[in-house]
Amino acid sequence: DAMVIQNPRYQVTQFGKPVTLSCSQTLNHNVMYWYQQKSSQAPKLLFHYYDKDFNNEADTPDNFQSRRPNTSFCFLDIRSPGLGDAAMYLCATSSRDGYQGPQHFGDGTRLSIL
Amino acid sequence: GQQLNQSPQSMFIQEGEDVSMNCTSSSIFNTWLWYKQDPGEGPVLLIALYKAGELTSNGRLTAQFGITRKDSFLNISASIPSDVGIYFCAGQNPTDNDMRFGAGTRLTVKP
């Protein structure tokens, strides 16, 4: 089945130690999103790529960066994780070609900070 | 930013009961979406609505896109234990195509 795959499902890192989360998709969607979700809250959009164009949300900290080397893969880099960055990180994809299709989510990576 | 109000925040119901939840917005959307999220997993798309007044069903789930384009509701009929989870509404803003999420409705179903 076509899907959005996130690796790893669980990630533990140390305070201040850079970490990279990955997302791949077989849907051939041209838009990929990264969300942060804290317990019992709605997902919060960090940024998205529309093809190769990067779109950052105004309130996303500089500590969060992203890379999209090709259509299928997108990475979330956290340069110096703080305790407040412990959360579930969700990747989503959608198709946008004049018309915006619905977003499809991966199962997330739960990030813990020691 | 655009406000998206989802209610109720939580519901505790008996198996077999019907459930209704809704979302309202301070301005219009061109698409309404309903997602369900189980613990430790990502949100799964349940129903997508693209036209004002549209009523769409997916099994025991029915959702409607309000005529004013500022609201949507989701109904679940004859609830079962596996309906437990958090239901999120999401609206797509016609001016920027980004999605806005509601705060979620946590559903508990007692057998």
Side-chain angles (χ1 to χ4, degrees), chain B residues 75-98:
Chain B
N75 287 344
I76 305 173
S77 62
S79 58
I80 59 178
S82 62
D83 290 334
V84 164
I86 302 179
Y87 291 79
F88 289 102
C89 64
Q92 188 166 296
N93 189 326
T95 60
D96 61 21
N97 284 326
D98 283 342

Side-chain angles (χ1 to χ4, degrees), chain A residues 36-100:
Chain A
Q36 180 192 66
Q37 186 179 30
K38 297 199 172 177
S39 184
S40 299
Q41 296 181 22
K44 179 180 182 301
L45 183 64
L46 296 173
F47 26 58
H48 74 274
Y49 273 95
Y50 178 18
D51 291 322
K52 294 182 181 179
D53 293 333
F54 178 70
N55 298 270
N56 201 28
E57 292 298 297
D59 57 354
T60 297
D62 291 342
N63 199 25
F64 291 87
Q65 304 284 318
S66 187
R67 296 170 283 135
R68 188 180 186 187
N70 54 53
T71 301
S72 301
F73 285 87
C74 196
F75 299 99
L76 170 62
D77 300 309
I78 308 176
R79 292 192 296 191
S80 182
L83 296 178
D85 296 329
M88 172 79 93
Y89 290 89
L90 293 164
C91 173
T93 73
S94 71
S95 176
R96 186 190 302 175
D97 186 9
Y99 163 76
Q100 170 74 57

Side-chain angles (χ1 to χ4, degrees), chain A residues 9 35 37 40-43 45 48 57 88 90 96 99-108 110, chain B residues 31 33 35 37 40-43 45 48 50 86 88 92 96-104 106:
Chain A
R9 291 295 309 276
Y35 289 85
Q37 186 179 30
S40 299
Q41 296 181 22
L45 183 64
H48 74 274
E57 292 298 297
M88 172 79 93
L90 293 164
R96 186 190 302 175
Y99 163 76
Q100 170 74 57
Q103 293 184 25
H104 298 268
F105 287 82
D107 277 336
R110 181 165 295 283
Chain B
T31 302
L33 302 155
Y35 289 88
Q37 187 173 25
E41 298 183 14
L45 181 65
Y50 300 106
I86 302 179
F88 289 102
Q92 188 166 296
D96 61 21
N97 284 326
D98 283 342
M99 274 204 327
R100 301 284 184 269
F101 279 92
R106 183 180 293 274

Side-chain angles (χ1 to χ4, degrees), chain B residues 8-30:
Chain B
Q9 194 173 23
S10 61
M11 302 184 75
F12 297 83
I13 62 168
Q14 207 71 37
E15 183 177 359
E17 288 183 0
D18 297 343
V19 171
S20 185
M21 58 193 79
N22 71 84
C23 265
T24 60
S25 168
S26 55
S27 51
I28 63 173
F29 283 117
N30 63 354

Side-chain angles (χ1 to χ4, degrees), chain B residues 33-80:
Chain B
L33 302 155
W34 285 92
Y35 289 88
K36 180 183 182 233
Q37 187 173 25
D38 291 330
E41 298 183 14
V44 174
L45 181 65
L46 299 173
I47 293 180
L49 301 158
Y50 300 106
K51 258 174 67 171
E54 180 181 355
L55 183 72
T56 296
S57 292
N58 177 7
R60 293 178 295 106
L61 278 60
T62 303
Q64 184 156 31
F65 192 145
I67 288 290
T68 64
R69 295 168 66 188
K70 292 184 181 181
D71 64 312
S72 177
F73 71 74
L74 174 71
N75 287 344
I76 305 173
S77 62
S79 58
I80 59 178

